[in-house]
Amino acid sequence: MVKINSVMHGSPSDRHGVKKDDILVKINGHGIKDVLDYMYYAVDTEIELEIERDGVPLTIKISKDEYDDLGLEFETFLMDNKQSCSNKCVFCFIDQMPPGMRETLYFKDDDARLSFLQGNYVTLTNMKQEDVDRIIEMKLNINVSVHTTNPELRVKMMHNRFAGEKLKYIWQLAESGIKLNCQIVCCPGLNDGDELRRSLTDLGTLMPNITSMAVVPVGLTKFREGLYPLTSFNKKTAGETIDIIEEFQQVFLEKFGTRTVFPSDEFYLIAERELPPMEAYEDFSQYENGVGMLRSLIDEFEKALDMAEWEGGERHISIATGYSPYNTISYLAKQAEERFPELKCNVYRIRNDFFGETITVTGLITAQDLIAQLKDQDLGTELLISAAMLRRDSDVFLDDITVPEVEKALNVKIKSTQSDGYELLDNIMGVTW
C-alpha cells in the first residue's frame, strides 16, 4: 500500500472520487507496493481500487480507456525509496569521485525498477527470487551489468559475497523468455582476455534472449587512493579486446544473424583503429553505452552537410571536446570549413584536470576545466559544448557551475548540442528553427 500524494484534475481517479492522502491498497485485487505493480495492474479498462481513507476501507470502481493513466501521483516516482547498490565494485566510478560535490553524485543506484523504466543497468545483487518471479510474470525486459560470468571473479570484482550466486537469475530470466541487454565493464588483468571469452561464450548460450551486449573500458580517475590497483587500457590491450569481441561477433552473426556484442567507441579510439561502418552497429541497441555514437555522428553530419546551404555572412565559433573524440570533432569541423569558406570553427580539446588526465570522455568535463583552459583562447562569437557535460534538463555542470557563469568567465555565448550530426551542423552554422 502507498499514500496518494495528489490526484490529477479531470483524470479517471478524480472523476470517481479518489482524493489526496487516500491510501492505495489494491488494484483489481492485487497488492500495490511500488510503481511496477501500479503500472502493470492499471492498464485494464475496468479498475477496482481498494483504498483507505482516514482508516476506513473503500472500494472505487473506475471505467477508462485501455492504458489511460489513472491520474494518481505519489511522493516519489517509484512510489518507494530508490534501492542503493550493495556492491563495492573495484571499478566503481562513484568511489573515485573527489569530496565536496553535490550529494546526489555519490548515490549508487542499483534499482531493477529503473532498469525497466529508464534503461538503467543493474547487477541483480539486490534482487530476491520473488523479484525475479515478478519480472517473469510481468514480462519485463531488463538491463544487466554482468561484468563476468565467473562466479568467483564476480564476487572479487564486486566485493559482494552474493554476486556470484546471483548470476543464476540471468539464466532464469533468459530461459523464461525475458529479453536482456547486458553490459561488461572490462578491466585489464581481471575480466579481459580469456575471462572475457568465457563471459561471451556463457552469455551466447542464452541467445536470442540475450539481445545485446556492450563491452566498455574501465574509467580511472586520479582519486583512487586505497582502492583496488587497476590499470587503464592501452593501444595493445584495447586492440586485443576488440579482436576478441569481433571474433565473437562473427560467430554470433553466422549462428543467429546478429553480432549481439559490441565494443564501445572508446576501445577503437584507444587502439587507434578506424571505427566500424554504420551497418556493423545494426540497430544501435547499445548506443547509450557509447557504442556507435561517433559513427552515427559522422554519418549524420556528412549527410546533413551534403544538403546544407550557407546563409548569412562570416561566422567564427569554437567547439570544446574531450581528448577521446577530439580527432573526430576536428575532422567534422574541417569538413564544414572546407564546404563553407565563410566559416571558421576552432576545436579545443579539454584536458580533464578535475578527474585526472586518464578521463578523456567529453561528458565528464567540468566547468572549471573549461574556464581554465579556454580563458585566453580565441573562441569567436559562440562556444559549442556537448549536452553530456550538463545535468539532464539543466544548465549545470558536474562541478555545480552554471552555463551563465561560464559564459561570463569566458565572455562568450555557450550553446549545448546533443550527440546528433544534424544538430551539430545546425549549431556550427548558426541555424535556428
Side-chain angles (χ1 to χ4, degrees):
M1 60 177 64
V2 63
K3 183 178 179 180
I4 297 169
N5 203 49
S6 64
V7 182
M8 294 176 61
H9 179 71
S11 67
S13 294
D14 181 42
R15 295 195 302 270
H16 288 80
V18 182
K19 299 183 181 299
K20 178 181 182 297
D21 295 331
D22 286 348
I23 305 297
L24 176 61
V25 180
K26 292 183 179 181
I27 297 179
N28 286 348
H30 300 281
I32 304 299
K33 68 176 183 179
D34 62 22
V35 66
L36 294 187
D37 290 330
Y38 175 72
M39 294 176 68
Y40 185 72
Y41 296 118
V43 299
D44 294 338
T45 57
E46 299 297 325
I47 299 291
E48 185 175 275
L49 298 183
E50 294 181 37
I51 64 172
E52 286 184 7
R53 181 176 297 163
D54 298 326
V56 178
L58 297 173
T59 298
I60 297 178
K61 294 184 177 182
I62 297 175
S63 295
K64 65 179 186 62
D65 292 336
E66 190 174 16
Y67 298 111
D68 269 4
D69 191 343
L70 282 172
L72 302 180
E73 295 180 342
F74 306 90
E75 185 175 356
T76 65
F77 168 68
L78 291 173
M79 302 164 59
D80 190 11
N81 292 325
K82 189 185 295 185
Q83 293 181 359
S84 63
C85 185
S86 57
N87 310 308
K88 191 171 178 58
C89 296
V90 297
F91 51 81
C92 180
F93 195 84
I94 294 176
D95 288 340
Q96 304 177 70
M97 299 267 277
M101 302 185 74
R102 61 179 176 271
E103 185 177 347
T104 55
L105 292 176
Y106 299 104
F107 182 80
K108 298 182 181 181
D109 163 48
D110 195 21
D111 198 312
R113 294 166 298 187
L114 293 177
S115 179
F116 321 124
L117 299 171
Q118 297 180 352
N120 295 21
Y121 280 76
V122 293
T123 65
L124 307 180
T125 55
N126 273 335
M127 294 179 63
K128 300 176 181 178
Q129 186 61 52
E130 62 191 63
D131 300 314
V132 174
D133 293 341
R134 182 164 71 142
I135 292 170
I136 293 171
E137 177 191 356
M138 294 182 175
K139 298 180 174 60
L140 300 171
N141 298 330
I142 187 171
N143 300 329
V144 181
S145 291
V146 180
H147 309 313
T148 177
T149 57
N150 179 336
E152 292 78 18
L153 179 58
R154 198 169 196 251
V155 169
K156 177 181 178 180
M157 291 186 69
M158 294 185 177
H159 281 189
N160 185 324
R161 62 192 179 95
F162 301 109
E165 68 180 66
K166 298 290 185 173
L167 284 168
K168 66 184 179 183
Y169 292 155
I170 297 176
W171 267 257
Q172 287 182 28
L173 291 165
E175 290 169 357
S176 298
I178 301 301
K179 304 296 183 183
L180 296 95
N181 295 308
C182 297
Q183 174 196 71
I184 295 173
V185 175
C186 208
C187 304
L190 278 179
N191 61 338
D192 60 342
D194 287 341
E195 287 292 348
L196 178 59
R197 288 189 177 92
R198 170 178 175 162
S199 296
L200 298 183
T201 299
D202 290 345
L203 293 172
T205 65
L206 299 177
M207 291 175 63
N209 288 329
I210 299 292
T211 56
S212 70
M213 295 180 260
V215 182
V216 302
V218 62
L220 305 179
T221 79
K222 64 184 181 183
F223 302 100
R224 289 195 57 82
E225 185 176 352
L227 299 179
Y228 187 93
L230 292 175
T231 58
S232 299
F233 278 94
N234 56 36
K235 181 178 178 180
K236 179 177 180 292
T237 55
E240 290 170 348
T241 302
I242 292 171
D243 291 340
I244 291 171
I245 295 169
E246 290 185 344
E247 170 191 328
F248 275 86
Q249 284 184 329
Q250 190 58 38
V251 171
F252 293 154
L253 189 61
E254 292 174 1
K255 189 171 182 180
F256 300 104
T258 173
R259 294 170 179 82
T260 305
V261 59
F262 305 91
S264 71
D265 295 351
E266 197 172 356
F267 272 114
Y268 289 97
L269 299 177
I270 297 170
E272 299 177 17
R273 293 191 184 183
E274 186 176 348
L275 294 167
M278 197 79 160
E279 58 269 19
Y281 294 101
E282 299 179 3
D283 61 354
F284 288 86
S285 56
Q286 289 281 355
Y287 187 85
E288 296 303 320
N289 262 320
V291 176
M293 276 189 172
L294 287 180
R295 172 52 65 197
S296 177
L297 182 70
I298 293 168
D299 282 28
E300 289 171 350
F301 189 92
E302 291 177 340
K303 289 176 182 176
L305 195 59
D306 284 342
M307 301 181 292
E309 294 184 5
W310 189 263
E311 295 182 5
E314 293 185 353
R315 178 169 167 78
H316 176 197
I317 65 158
S318 298
I319 302 175
T321 186
Y323 269 53
S324 287
Y326 172 77
N327 289 338
T328 299
I329 301 300
S330 295
Y331 164 74
L332 298 179
K334 186 66 175 176
Q335 280 194 311
E337 286 182 330
E338 291 176 353
R339 174 73 185 275
F340 303 118
E342 302 92 340
L343 173 68
K344 180 181 179 182
C345 183
N346 297 329
V347 181
Y348 295 99
R349 57 181 172 184
I350 306 300
R351 184 182 61 255
N352 202 319
D353 292 331
F354 187 88
F355 287 110
E357 294 184 24
T358 55
I359 300 298
T360 60
V361 296
T362 300
L364 292 175
I365 291 174
T366 59
Q368 55 195 273
D369 280 344
L370 279 178
I371 294 170
Q373 296 174 47
L374 296 179
K375 62 183 178 181
D376 297 321
Q377 300 295 336
D378 182 12
L379 302 177
T381 59
E382 194 169 50
L383 173 66
L384 303 186
I385 65 169
S386 169
M389 295 183 194
L390 306 174
R391 293 172 62 180
R392 182 179 296 179
D393 301 323
S394 80
D395 64 354
V396 181
F397 289 85
L398 273 172
D399 50 358
D400 284 337
I401 298 174
T402 66
V403 168
E405 289 173 318
V406 179
E407 289 178 327
K408 182 177 180 180
L410 295 177
N411 193 31
V412 68
K413 179 184 177 184
I414 292 178
K415 187 172 183 62
S416 66
T417 180
Q418 300 293 333
S419 181
D420 177 282
Y422 296 96
E423 182 174 325
L424 176 60
L425 181 61
D426 281 347
N427 289 341
I428 288 175
M429 295 174 62
V431 174
T432 55
W433 297 96

